[in-house]
Amino acid sequence: MHWADVIAAELLKRSNSHRIATGISPSGHIHLGNLREMVTADAIRRALVDAGGEAKIVYIADDFDPLRKRYPFLPEEYENYVGMPLCKIPDPEGCHDSYSEHFLQPFLESLEILGIPVEVRRAYQMYKDGLYEENTRIALSKRDEIARIIAEVTGRELEEDWYPFMPLCENCGRINSAKVKSFDESWIYYECECGYSGKVGYAGGGKLTWRVDWAARWQILKITCEPFGKDHAAAGGSYDTGVRIAREIFNYEPPYPVPYEWIHLKGKGAMKSSKGIVIPVREMVEVIPPEIVRYITIRVKPERHIEFDPGLGLLDLVEEFEEKFKEKDRSVELSLVGDVVYSDVPFRHLIVVGQIANWDLDKVLEIIERTGYRVDEITRKDVERRLKYAKKWIEKYAPDRIKFEIPEKVSVDFSEEEEKFLRTYAERLQNDMSPEEIHTLVYDVSKELGIKPSKAFQAIYKAILGKTYGPRVGYFIKSLGVEWVKERIKAAL
Ligand SMILES: [Zn+2]
Ligand SMILES: [Zn+2]
């Protein structure tokens, strides 16, 4: 049984209708690592719906969070904004209303491309609208109990004058430097490190501290399930405190937790926007088909770590997807977006053929037919869609040795042995040979002439590309056209 179906079955024992929470702080480029949360939630949502339940994903943009530091991608003047809420800071590139919207908008576009429907909630707006009022009053009046829970779960004693609330200082605009001094029915009184003392109202005047905010949010948005990064899931982590705060302070049953592992970028480590080790999601969905982006997360259990390689590793992943597509595998089913069709033309083949045909669709289809694939309406539709991704992948993530251009003519020297091989090989090549036969012929001729097959392959690449490596010979020659290759070899010699 697929992991998403297992979770859905568990959830359906509790209730037929579910609200799955996801939350990302838009403090920098939202990347594939963050996307794991969204895709995990969506796989569960789909599994619930498939099992006859109802489900909705709520996406909470934590735009009331402070800017924690000036990240390497920010100009120097952003030093001044450290501590201010992300929604109150100007867009570093000036194209959106705020810092948070600048990172949020492209992410929301990506979610649409990936077929993930979300109810978007912005934290600041929720506070301003008074949604947190009731929970804030309860949290302030029960601060001793909350402090005790946090101390018991984390082993960390809080200061005597601690309050579970961060006032937004009216003077310096920071949300992480003022301390609550007291509160009454209408106001929360504070003193700020900037020297200012003032008061704020309950709606939008500040926010609950993280662990309390999380538990309050579950209740406010009626959350029943939530995937979150493994750091929150550690013993004594924020989920453990959240559970107790939800039950003991807010009288709400905490959501079903789905902790997930990180996605590492091959050779670079965990993706962290603060360190610049990221592929922004918006960029990825332009280069990699949405079903493959989803498949990266859906094919493995949430608790398993993912090593993602957008280069050659991606081709292996796509190949696996193409195989499983034929088997109607559940991971593939949960990954597909909309009414996408797949032909049996492999992505690897599109990469070679696309380069040969200079990405011209008609030429590509002609070559595909010649190389033994049936070209019908499905093939046309599929190739037209995936060829665009193949082209972008070549431009953006492909390693150099996958890329080639067919030069007008080649001027390379051949050894006597190579010459002999090429002449014989070209003579024996037949128009009606299949890619496999063309490939086998290399071995047959080299054996007959007593030359190493590796040398024989190199000679072929030299004659066609002017270098000693290239795509797999059988399909390559069939794609180029046997007649063309025969002429080419003649001309090269
Ligand atoms: Zn912008
Ligand atoms: Zn201040």
Side-chain angles (χ1 to χ4, degrees):
M1 209 166 158
H2 192 274
W3 60 261
D5 294 317
V6 173
I7 294 171
E10 269 312 306
L11 288 172
L12 289 171
K13 282 185 208 159
R14 301 179 172 202
S15 152
N16 194 54
S17 170
H18 288 275
R19 287 172 60 81
I20 308 164
T22 54
I24 295 162
S25 161
S27 58
H29 281 298
I30 300 177
H31 53 77
L32 179 67
N34 304 129
L35 192 61
R36 185 166 197 178
E37 179 154 322
M38 306 308 298
V39 175
T40 301
D42 197 52
I44 298 168
R45 178 189 68 86
R46 282 215 202 164
L48 277 166
V49 172
D50 288 352
E54 278 173 38
K56 196 157 200 178
I57 300 173
V58 186
Y59 170 70
I60 302 115
D62 284 316
D63 62 353
F64 206 10
D65 278 2
L67 179 66
R68 296 196 190 283
K69 60 172 187 177
R70 179 169 74 86
Y71 300 119
F73 57 84
L74 292 171
E76 214 164 299
E77 78 239 39
Y78 273 65
E79 213 63 71
N80 301 322
Y81 296 119
V82 172
M84 285 165 87
L86 299 169
C87 61
K88 303 267 188 192
I89 301 172
D91 180 345
E93 284 170 43
C95 39
H96 295 85
D97 287 345
S98 67
Y99 184 104
S100 46
E101 290 304 310
H102 178 72
F103 294 109
L104 194 56
Q105 286 305 332
F107 184 65
L108 295 178
E109 284 166 30
S110 311
L111 292 183
E112 205 156 303
I113 294 171
L114 292 166
I116 304 178
V118 290
E119 174 184 318
V120 183
R121 295 299 191 108
R122 288 166 174 82
Y124 180 58
Q125 196 61 44
M126 283 176 66
Y127 273 98
K128 238 175 94 180
D129 291 345
L131 296 180
Y132 275 92
E133 241 186 274
E134 185 58 25
N135 292 79
T136 303
R137 285 181 200 282
I138 294 171
L140 284 174
S141 65
K142 293 190 177 177
R143 74 148 185 191
D144 293 344
E145 282 172 67
I146 296 175
R148 185 174 46 78
I149 291 171
I150 292 176
E152 280 173 15
V153 178
T154 66
R156 183 166 53 96
E157 285 297 334
L158 295 167
E159 288 161 30
E160 277 291 299
D161 59 352
W162 177 86
Y163 276 98
F165 189 81
M166 298 151 71
L168 176 62
C169 175
E170 288 167 292
N171 182 50
C172 68
R174 289 179 171 73
I175 192 159
N176 62 355
S177 57
K179 271 190 154 173
V180 174
K181 287 292 147 189
S182 61
F183 62 92
D184 58 28
E185 270 295 292
S186 328
W187 304 103
I188 301 165
Y189 302 88
Y190 66 91
E191 258 176 46
C192 185
E193 283 167 18
C194 72
Y196 185 82
S197 297
K199 57 177 186 181
V200 288
Y202 280 84
K207 70 192 289 279
L208 291 166
T209 52
W210 158 242
R211 288 166 193 259
V212 184
D213 176 288
W214 200 19
R217 180 196 282 184
W218 292 337
Q219 181 171 42
I220 294 164
L221 297 171
K222 300 185 172 60
I223 302 304
T224 57
C225 172
E226 180 159 358
F228 47 81
K230 63 166 181 179
D231 53 339
H232 296 313
S238 36
Y239 181 71
D240 282 355
T241 35
V243 165
R244 288 198 50 191
I245 294 169
R247 286 190 183 133
E248 296 168 35
I249 306 296
F250 298 137
N251 193 23
Y252 183 78
E253 187 53 28
Y256 182 90
V258 184
Y260 60 83
E261 256 285 351
W262 305 135
I263 298 186
H264 287 224
L265 205 50
K266 199 185 169 208
K268 297 230 172 114
M271 284 197 215
K272 288 257 159 70
S273 18
S274 54
K275 288 189 185 159
I277 310 171
V278 299
I279 301 180
V281 169
R282 191 67 187 87
E283 177 196 304
M284 263 196 79
V285 295
E286 289 295 321
V287 184
I288 303 175
E291 66 274 18
I292 303 296
V293 175
R294 293 173 62 101
Y295 187 63
I296 296 166
T297 285
I298 290 178
R299 66 191 276 275
V300 295
K301 287 188 176 145
E303 63 266 30
R304 259 183 58 193
H305 151 103
I306 296 175
E307 184 91 15
F308 178 63
D309 169 17
L312 284 183
L314 183 86
L315 292 188
D316 293 334
L317 198 74
V318 173
E319 201 160 75
E320 180 187 304
F321 184 90
E322 290 165 347
E323 278 308 308
K324 302 250 165 139
F325 185 90
K326 292 172 200 155
E327 299 163 15
K328 296 196 177 354
D329 176 83
R330 181 67 170 149
S331 287
V332 165
E333 195 175 81
L334 288 169
S335 299
L336 290 171
V337 178
D339 53 354
V340 155
V341 291
Y342 257 74
S343 68
D344 56 356
V345 181
F347 194 68
R348 269 182 211 277
H349 195 37
L350 288 179
I351 279 162
V352 174
V353 176
Q355 292 184 84
I356 291 173
N358 205 14
W359 309 106
D360 181 288
L361 179 64
D362 291 332
K363 262 191 215 155
V364 165
L365 288 167
E366 198 185 298
I367 296 173
I368 281 171
E369 193 151 39
R370 193 195 311 148
T371 46
Y373 294 95
R374 197 163 55 114
V375 174
D376 55 13
E377 262 321 294
I378 286 178
T379 313
R380 252 170 233 286
K381 210 173 152 193
D382 170 47
V383 168
E384 184 175 8
R385 184 181 79 97
R386 287 195 300 150
L387 189 66
K388 290 180 191 138
Y389 290 109
K391 180 171 187 278
K392 285 182 193 151
W393 181 78
I394 279 285
E395 289 163 358
K396 203 98 196 180
Y397 303 146
D400 284 340
R401 67 193 176 88
I402 295 280
K403 299 178 195 173
F404 64 84
E405 253 176 84
I406 315 266
E408 200 70 32
K409 58 176 190 184
V410 292
S411 47
V412 283
D413 293 325
F414 295 100
S415 68
E416 217 171 288
E417 195 182 38
E418 287 174 328
E419 240 185 271
K420 210 163 111 193
F421 167 80
L422 286 172
R423 271 186 216 291
T424 319
Y425 185 71
E427 261 167 41
R428 306 263 178 95
L429 268 181
Q430 300 289 328
N431 244 332
D432 56 355
M433 281 179 158
S434 69
E436 290 74 26
E437 288 168 333
I438 292 172
H439 192 81
T440 313
L441 186 65
V442 180
Y443 289 100
D444 293 346
V445 174
S446 51
K447 196 175 167 194
E448 201 181 303
L449 300 178
I451 91 164
K452 272 197 194 153
S454 59
K455 289 272 174 214
F457 281 110
Q458 283 182 11
I460 294 172
Y461 293 129
K462 274 166 77 177
I464 299 173
L465 295 167
K467 55 187 192 184
T468 53
Y469 55 89
R472 282 171 48 208
V473 155
Y475 275 99
F476 192 38
I477 290 180
K478 192 74 184 174
S479 303
L480 291 162
V482 168
E483 277 315 312
W484 184 89
V485 172
K486 288 171 95 139
E487 284 304 312
R488 176 73 165 203
I489 291 175
K490 220 187 278 173
L493 294 172

